[in-house]
Amino acid sequence: MPIATVNPATGETERTFEPQGAEEVEECLARAAAAFERYRTTSFTERAAHLRRAAALLEEETDAVARTITAEMGKPLAAARAEAGKCVKTMRWYADHAAELLADEYPADDDVRDSGASRVRVHYRPVGVVLAVMPWNFPLWQVVRFAAPALMAGNVGLLKHASNVPQTALYLGDLFRRAGLDEGCFQTLLIGSGAVEGVLRDPRVAAATLTGSEGAGRAIASVAGDEIKKTVLELGGSDPFVVMPSADVEAATRTAVTARVQNAGQSCIAAKRFIVHTEVYDAFLERFSARMADLTVGDPMAEGTDVGPLSSARGRADLEELVEDAVRRGAVTHCGGQRPKGLDQRLSEGFFYEPTVLSGITPEMRIHAEETFGPVATVYRVADLDEAVSVANDTSFGLSSNVWTRDDGDVQRFVRDLQAGGVFFNGMTASHPAFPFGGVKRSGYGRELAGHGIKEFCNATTVWFGA
Ligand code: NAP
């Protein structure tokens, strides 16, 4: 895959970049290792000052960076600005909280005595150079949610970003440098996915984190396993959005639309499968389809656009194949199901797809099992709570989940039984720096954000004194 900015709204290649060669990659690795030796001994106060400076710069530069994001991967400008805002907040959150999250821990006196010690403490140390392999769908956020905790813990980062967002990738490396971090503390590598294995195997790299597809996760995890290196994997999702009879169906319908089409549906935590109790099924389906059909699809740079293009021609073709397979096998299309007509001539080569609602899904359809990475919703009718839980869990993924209900019994059951890293009631899944984020099953392992995320790349060291 070439390293290039191809504007998804127009299909035009705006900039191309030469991948770095082995020599340049070697220089980056050497700089990272040297930077770690100094940076690991810095105080939380010093690290926080850099992060706050990075946050302030990003805040000042939000409009320009949002335009770059929109030009590279197609999300509406307002969403790109919001993404930058979330990064600013997260950098500040870790600057404020890292010292407390990584404070030394003291085991209970009884346990200390039982071990024969006079004193024991657990001390959190950074692990070293961490390779971050990141996707294009939230090109700032995915990186910052790794970088902010990793840098506050005293690690240094090497970013291999998705090949279609090189300008955002370069911006990030530059941002941390301008924030006053040593040059080697956070560097962007411009390399293709084929060069990742060599970097990961390098002894100067201690660990890796990957956000992306199952295939990429498997590739990284195999190499890291072979090298006995720690990994965190944030992979795909096919989150259920369950609507039970006691729900506020009007509010559920409104939120369902946002939950499905945010980022043109290209979000790991987008609600993808709508599982609706038979008592409210017809009302939900009718209002949901009407609202999906009403969305404005078009130029992501224009105010008022709800849904921009998909990020690539390949992404749209994959989605079209899933829809065509489902329809061929008997799925019912309630809206969408094709490329939009009547777009401005300038956008005629863009990778747009209409918001689509399908029902009548059966297990032999690919769409039942695979992740729909675009604005396509599948709606399932269920007879009762047991069936709702069973359909919700009938997926190889387990990232997050959404449930609409006002019944305490339902709440207890879903909290106990849903196989996912999050259960969001009467709202949609969203990440927040203070809450752990991650999945189970094929959605990956490990956690990002909160105290859980910052400790993933720390060495919890037992410090034991005999006398
Ligand atoms: P992708 O193809 O896996 O790409 C993600 C990153 O991995 C890119 O930097 C890519 O580089 C690299 N990569 C791909 N194959 C690789 C390999 N064999 N070895 C090493 N690196 C490799 O994913 P995508 O299609 O761009 O992103 C969408 C996927 O990410 C979806 O499944 C989505 O659900 C998931 N995602 C998950 C989360 C989460 O938090 N769980 C968040 C966002 C997205 P190139 O670009 O150079 O190929």
Side-chain angles (χ1 to χ4, degrees), residues 104-233:
D104 287 354
E105 288 167 10
Y106 296 88
D109 288 347
D110 284 356
D111 293 326
V112 171
R113 270 194 300 277
D114 184 57
S115 79
S118 60
R119 316 177 261 144
V120 179
R121 66 190 163 94
V122 178
H123 182 62
Y124 289 96
R125 296 191 293 183
V127 295
V129 180
V130 183
L131 171 65
V133 182
M134 291 292 154
W136 45 265
N137 60 344
F138 291 89
L140 270 190
W141 168 244
Q142 306 291 2
V143 177
V144 167
R145 89 178 172 184
F146 151 72
L151 289 168
M152 281 308 301
N155 293 301
V156 307
L158 278 178
L159 169 66
K160 183 275 182 268
H161 216 325
S163 293
N164 57 336
V165 289
Q167 297 188 63
T168 311
L170 290 169
Y171 173 81
L172 281 156
D174 193 49
L175 176 72
F176 287 116
R177 221 175 10 257
R178 287 185 292 132
L181 284 162
D182 280 0
E183 215 189 338
C185 284
F186 190 91
Q187 301 173 84
T188 295
L189 297 173
L190 279 187
I191 54 173
S193 58
V196 168
E197 177 171 350
V199 176
L200 182 50
R201 286 198 188 276
D202 190 285
R204 289 164 290 190
V205 171
T209 180
L210 173 128
T211 299
S213 61
E214 229 178 295
R218 193 174 291 113
I220 293 282
S222 315
V223 174
D226 194 38
E227 295 287 343
I228 325 277
K229 291 183 181 178
K230 167 83 183 269
T231 49
V232 167
L233 298 183

Side-chain angles (χ1 to χ4, degrees), residues 107-418:
D109 288 347
D110 284 356
D111 293 326
V112 171
R113 270 194 300 277
D114 184 57
S115 79
S118 60
R119 316 177 261 144
V120 179
R121 66 190 163 94
V122 178
H123 182 62
Y124 289 96
R125 296 191 293 183
V127 295
V129 180
V130 183
L131 171 65
V133 182
M134 291 292 154
W136 45 265
N137 60 344
F138 291 89
L140 270 190
W141 168 244
Q142 306 291 2
V143 177
V144 167
R145 89 178 172 184
F146 151 72
L151 289 168
M152 281 308 301
N155 293 301
V156 307
L158 278 178
L159 169 66
K160 183 275 182 268
H161 216 325
S163 293
N164 57 336
V165 289
Q167 297 188 63
T168 311
L170 290 169
Y171 173 81
L172 281 156
D174 193 49
L175 176 72
F176 287 116
R177 221 175 10 257
R178 287 185 292 132
L181 284 162
D182 280 0
E183 215 189 338
C185 284
F186 190 91
Q187 301 173 84
T188 295
L189 297 173
L190 279 187
I191 54 173
S193 58
V196 168
E197 177 171 350
V199 176
L200 182 50
R201 286 198 188 276
D202 190 285
R204 289 164 290 190
V205 171
T209 180
L210 173 128
T211 299
S213 61
E214 229 178 295
R218 193 174 291 113
I220 293 282
S222 315
V223 174
D226 194 38
E227 295 287 343
I228 325 277
K229 291 183 181 178
K230 167 83 183 269
T231 49
V232 167
L233 298 183
E234 298 284 4
L235 309 180
S238 189
D239 290 1
F241 186 104
V242 181
V243 187
M244 296 299 286
S246 64
D248 176 344
V249 175
E250 179 56 24
T253 313
R254 272 198 311 273
T255 305
V257 173
T258 311
R260 180 56 287 208
V261 303
Q262 56 168 330
N263 219 31
Q266 305 161 116
S267 166
C268 53
I269 49 167
K272 292 172 185 144
R273 298 173 301 128
F274 296 81
I275 298 162
V276 186
H277 192 283
T278 189
E279 282 179 31
V280 288
Y281 179 87
D282 291 336
F284 177 87
L285 182 58
E286 190 192 329
R287 292 183 215 177
F288 181 50
S289 306
R291 286 206 155 98
M292 289 282 277
D294 239 18
L295 293 166
T296 304
V297 180
D299 185 354
M301 290 287 184
E303 297 297 334
T305 293
D306 299 311
V307 183
L310 297 189
S311 73
S312 66
R314 181 70 255 162
R316 180 173 64 177
D318 288 347
L319 189 71
E320 284 175 328
E321 281 173 25
L322 282 183
V323 172
E324 280 160 20
D325 171 75
V327 170
R328 201 169 44 246
R329 294 171 192 269
V332 179
T333 309
H334 298 271
C335 66
Q338 55 189 352
R339 299 178 182 188
K341 299 190 177 63
L343 288 177
D344 192 293
Q345 176 61 25
R346 199 172 47 83
L347 307 177
S348 61
E349 299 300 316
F351 314 132
F352 296 92
Y353 196 74
E354 283 185 346
T356 299
V357 176
L358 301 175
S359 69
I361 308 301
T362 54
E364 65 273 12
M365 297 174 186
R366 284 180 53 204
I367 208 163
H368 179 71
E370 296 181 32
E371 180 181 23
T372 44
F373 223 53
V376 175
T378 52
V379 186
Y380 295 77
R381 185 197 289 270
V382 290
D384 54 26
L385 179 58
D386 285 342
E387 194 183 358
V389 172
S390 154
V391 175
N393 286 338
D394 185 19
T395 168
S396 57
F397 298 109
L399 196 50
S400 189
S401 56
N402 310 265
V403 179
W404 287 72
T405 182
R406 286 184 279 214
D407 181 300
D408 286 345
D410 288 357
V411 168
Q412 285 175 25
R413 180 73 193 281
F414 285 113
V415 169
R416 193 191 69 182
D417 288 346
L418 283 184

